[in-house]
């Protein structure tokens, strides 16, 4: 069945089968509506001129519902910070943008509505790039993206550093030396998350291994619960992962295990199990990028949000002993001072040296990680 998307009117957009409300006001002016898309995708990129705050429209396409308590909620908090910093600015958003041609239609609709800047808060690849190529007067930013063109950049968080720090705590807390990881898809962000946690654990406890289970979804509480239960049954006494909800933390709480989470503070779902979590804060970055767009100084680029500046470990859980906190945070201090723990030799899960001695993986190499480290099963 053909799916169509109506024109936005004021504050609401109706999507097929459900309603999504868009905060802010439509930027459509009465009268003649010009085609906002460039006729020639290869045309030179126009200068992005300054725009008055009250005339500007910024659009956000979220991968999940903003009430997911995880990834999309974290991005929505960034949007709220933007609304506070720029009270005259118009903002719109669509939740649960699919990874399909529907994404292209949604991003095109943002442009048709007069958006000056568009954020895709997940990796939409060609679905967003094709729209950006045809709308050179609009600034685009893609979270977890890879493309940089005249008007399209990307941003991502260096979550591997807090993951390594939390891994140190995991290596000191585990009794079985078996860590369990609830993954989503076998993609670089998942490899970087799982590998960093395991390497952190092995730095203080070389006997540690990690068993990963992929559930092929960012948000599937039932599948995450089943995966976590299977990991617990196999002897894993520390659970971690990269899902957008707290299902495996609930399992850890009910089974007397320890767990580390992702996105936001989720300790309320398992206060005894909760060790820490990789927590995200997009507020400063969003405000900075939008200010640059309004001023006419924005340039497309790749952007890493770094430790203590967009990503960090959460406050330690109530059951984490002080000596473990201190040992893990000593590494955090070293990283903040410029040290990287991702130094060779690092072997893959077949025993082959991938990162030789004397070599340090930089952030771009970690961002593109696509193999599991030694001691990892179920991933790579």
């Amino acid at each position: 069945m053909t799916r169509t998307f109506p024109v936005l009117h004021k504050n609401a957009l109706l999507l097929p089968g459900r309603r999504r409300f868009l905060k802010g006001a439509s930027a459509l002016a009465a009268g003649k509506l010009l085609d906002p898309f460039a006729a020639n995708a290869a045309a030179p990129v126009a200068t992005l001129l300054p725009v008055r705050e009250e005339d500007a429209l910024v659009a956000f396409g979220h991968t999940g519902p903003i009430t997911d308590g995880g990834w999309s909620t974290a991005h929505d908090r960034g949007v709220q910070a933007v609304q506070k910093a720029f009270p005259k600015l118009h903002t719109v958003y669509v939740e649960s943008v699919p990874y399909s041609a529907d994404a292209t239609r949604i991003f095109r609709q943002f442009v048709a509505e007069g958006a000056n800047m568009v954020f895709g808060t997940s990796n939409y690849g060609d679905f967003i790039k094709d729209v950006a190529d045809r709308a050179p007067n609009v600034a685009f930013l893609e979270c977890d993206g890879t493309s940089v063109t005249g008007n399209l950049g990307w941003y991502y968080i260096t979550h591997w550093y807090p993951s390594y720090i939390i891994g140190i705590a995991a290596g000191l807390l585990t009794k079985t030396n078996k860590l369990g990881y609830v993954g989503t898809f076998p993609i670089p962000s998942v490899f970087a998350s799982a590998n960093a946690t395991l390497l952190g654990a092995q730095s203080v406890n070389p006997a540690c291994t990690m068993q990963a289970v992929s559930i092929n979804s960012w948000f599937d509480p039932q599948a995450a619960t089943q995966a976590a239960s299977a990991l617990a049954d196999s002897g894993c006494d520390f659970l971690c992962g990269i899902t957008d909800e707290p299902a495996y933390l609930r399992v850890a709480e009910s089974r007397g295990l320890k767990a580390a989470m992702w996105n936001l503070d989720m300790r309320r779902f398992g206060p005894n199990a909760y060790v820490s979590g990789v927590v995200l804060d997009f507020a400063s970055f969003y405000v900075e990028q939008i200010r640059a767009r309004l001023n006419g100084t924005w340039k497309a680029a790749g952007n890493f949000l770094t430790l203590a500046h967009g990503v960090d470990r959460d406050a330690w859980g109530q059951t984490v002993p002080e000596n473990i906190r201190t040992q893990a945070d000593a590494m955090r201090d070293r990283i903040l001072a410029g040290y990287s723990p991702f130094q060779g030799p690092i072997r893959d899960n077949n025993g082959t040296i991938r990162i030789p001695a004397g070599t340090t993986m930089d952030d771009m190499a970690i961002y593109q990680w696509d193999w599991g480290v030694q001691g990892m099963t179920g991933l790579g």
Side-chain angles (χ1 to χ4, degrees):
M1 181 178 69
T2 300
R3 302 178 70 182
T4 59
F5 292 81
V7 174
L8 304 182
H9 292 287
K10 295 185 179 179
N11 298 328
L13 167 63
L14 298 179
L15 298 185
R18 55 187 171 180
R19 180 171 295 183
R20 288 290 177 262
F21 290 97
L22 298 175
K23 297 181 180 178
S26 169
L28 285 177
K32 185 176 180 181
L33 177 63
L34 300 177
D35 181 1
F37 293 96
N40 181 1
V45 175
T47 301
L48 297 177
L49 299 175
V51 58
R52 296 191 308 170
E53 179 181 330
E54 57 267 35
D55 295 332
L57 175 66
V58 178
F60 295 84
H62 298 304
T63 188
I66 62 172
T67 56
D68 66 6
W71 179 261
S72 293
T73 297
H75 285 280
D76 185 60
R77 290 182 179 181
V79 177
Q80 293 174 34
V82 167
Q83 293 167 338
K84 183 176 181 180
F86 306 105
K88 298 178 182 178
L89 181 76
H90 304 298
T91 61
V92 300
Y93 70 81
V94 170
E95 301 171 281
S96 302
V97 176
Y99 298 97
S100 70
D102 283 348
T104 298
R105 285 191 279 272
I106 290 169
F107 291 127
R108 283 180 60 88
Q109 190 165 347
F110 286 153
V111 174
E113 282 294 297
N116 306 100
M117 193 169 202
V118 175
F119 290 83
T121 62
S122 188
N123 183 343
Y124 284 97
D126 287 343
F127 297 128
I128 192 170
K129 184 178 183 300
D130 289 348
V131 178
D133 287 345
R134 298 183 64 195
N137 294 308
V138 180
F140 288 80
L141 274 167
E142 178 188 16
C143 191
D144 198 14
T146 57
S147 296
V148 177
T149 66
N151 67 323
L152 170 64
W154 58 262
Y155 61 107
Y156 198 56
I157 61 273
T158 56
H159 56 80
W160 36 90
Y161 295 113
S163 294
Y164 191 96
I165 294 163
I166 293 168
I168 292 175
L172 296 171
L173 286 167
T174 180
K175 300 295 191 300
T176 65
N177 298 328
K178 296 181 179 180
L179 314 183
Y181 189 89
V182 180
T184 52
F185 305 93
I187 57 177
S189 59
V190 176
F191 278 102
S193 169
N195 286 340
T197 305
L198 179 54
L199 288 174
Q202 290 174 339
S203 73
V204 295
N205 183 351
C208 282
T209 61
M210 176 176 283
Q211 181 179 347
V213 175
S214 295
I215 63 172
N216 297 313
S217 175
W218 295 105
F219 189 92
D220 188 337
Q222 182 177 358
T225 297
Q226 293 172 346
S229 297
L231 291 168
D233 290 343
S234 70
C236 297
D237 63 353
F238 187 101
L239 302 181
C240 52
I242 196 170
T243 58
D244 290 349
E245 45 73 34
Y248 71 81
L249 176 59
R250 295 179 188 272
V251 173
E253 183 79 3
S254 68
R255 300 284 292 264
L257 312 178
K258 297 298 182 184
M261 300 303 297
W262 235 84
N263 296 299
L264 298 172
D265 186 340
M266 295 187 181
R267 72 188 68 221
R268 66 188 182 279
F269 299 106
N272 294 305
Y274 192 82
V275 171
S276 186
V278 175
V279 289
L280 317 177
D281 184 356
F282 295 99
S284 294
F285 178 76
Y286 282 169
V287 169
E288 169 192 289
Q289 294 295 307
I290 290 171
R291 179 174 287 114
R293 177 65 190 91
L294 295 177
N295 292 340
T297 59
W298 184 86
K299 301 295 182 185
N303 303 271
F304 279 127
L305 281 64
T306 58
L307 187 66
H309 300 283
V311 65
D312 214 329
R313 63 125 180 95
D314 195 12
W316 295 109
Q318 65 184 18
T319 61
V320 180
E322 186 63 34
N323 66 313
I324 292 179
R325 302 181 187 202
T326 300
Q327 190 166 343
D329 280 341
M331 177 55 69
R332 180 178 182 275
D333 291 340
R334 292 183 68 189
I335 294 171
L336 288 173
Y339 173 77
S340 173
F342 299 101
Q343 301 181 10
I346 301 177
R347 297 177 182 270
D348 64 22
N349 51 12
N350 293 316
T352 302
I353 292 180
R354 292 293 195 102
I355 309 299
T359 300
T360 299
M361 298 179 73
D362 61 17
D363 287 334
M364 187 56 68
I366 299 172
Y367 188 43
Q368 299 170 338
W369 217 337
D370 61 358
W371 47 271
V373 299
Q374 192 166 43
M376 175 75 68
T377 58
L379 188 62

